Amino acid sequence: MDKSERYDSDWRMIENLFRSYYSMLRSYAFRLVNDFCLAEDIVQDVFMSLWNNRNNIDFDSELKPYLFRAIYNKSLDYLKSKKCTEEESLDTIIARLELSHHSNENHEETLFAKEIQQEIVNYLKG
C-alpha cells in the first residue's frame, strides 16, 4: 500500500470512528464540563489527537474505552485550568480587599471587606 492509499484508509477509519462515537462522546464531555460548545471542542481535539497519533495507535483493539478516557482527560485538564484561573482571579480580589482594608478608615467598610474576604476563603476551601 502506497502512502496515498494508507492516508485514505486512515482517514476513512477515523471518519467512521467519528461518525460512530461523536454524539456519545460529546454528551459525555458535556456532562463533565457543562458547556455544549466546549464539549464539542474537546471531542474535536481528541479526534485531532487521534489523527496526529494514528501511527502509534492500535486500531485493531477496542477504541471506545480509549476515546472515553481521552475525553475524560481533556475535560479534566480544562477544569483544572479553569479552577486555576478562577483562583488567580479570587487571589486578585482578596489582595484588593486587603489593600482596601488597610487604607479605609470607615469601620463599616472594613467589616464588609472582611466578610467578603471570609466568604471567598470559604468558597476556595469548599
Side-chain angles (χ1 to χ4, degrees), residues 81-123:
S81 71
K82 181 181 175 188
K83 185 173 193 272
C84 289
T85 303
E86 287 175 354
E87 285 178 2
E88 289 171 12
S89 298
L90 290 172
D91 286 343
T92 303
I93 292 169
I94 288 172
R96 199 172 0 163
L97 287 171
E98 286 176 349
L99 281 174
S100 170
H101 169 71
H102 293 301
S103 65
N104 282 337
E105 296 298 321
N106 185 333
H107 293 292
E108 187 176 310
E109 288 180 16
T110 303
L111 288 173
F112 182 67
K114 282 184 178 180
E115 287 175 14
I116 292 174
Q117 185 176 1
Q118 186 58 46
E119 287 183 32
I120 291 171
V121 168
N122 290 342
Y123 171 80

Side-chain angles (χ1 to χ4, degrees), residues 21-31 36 39-40 43 71:
Y21 293 110
Y22 178 78
S23 293
M24 209 179 332
L25 294 171
R26 185 187 60 205
S27 295
Y28 179 60
F30 177 75
R31 286 193 311 256
F36 189 75
E40 289 179 333
V43 174
I71 295 295

Side-chain angles (χ1 to χ4, degrees), residues 33-78:
V33 298
N34 201 31
D35 181 317
F36 189 75
C37 291
L38 180 60
E40 289 179 333
D41 289 345
I42 288 170
V43 174
Q44 290 172 5
D45 286 350
V46 165
F47 276 96
M48 282 301 299
S49 179
L50 188 67
W51 174 256
N52 291 333
N53 295 305
R54 67 189 179 277
N55 295 327
N56 302 324
I57 296 172
D58 179 15
F59 286 95
D60 293 329
S61 67
E62 178 64 34
L63 287 177
K64 186 176 177 181
Y66 172 85
L67 292 170
F68 274 89
R69 176 51 83 181
I71 295 295
Y72 176 82
N73 289 338
K74 287 259 187 216
S75 298
L76 192 61
D77 289 345
Y78 167 77

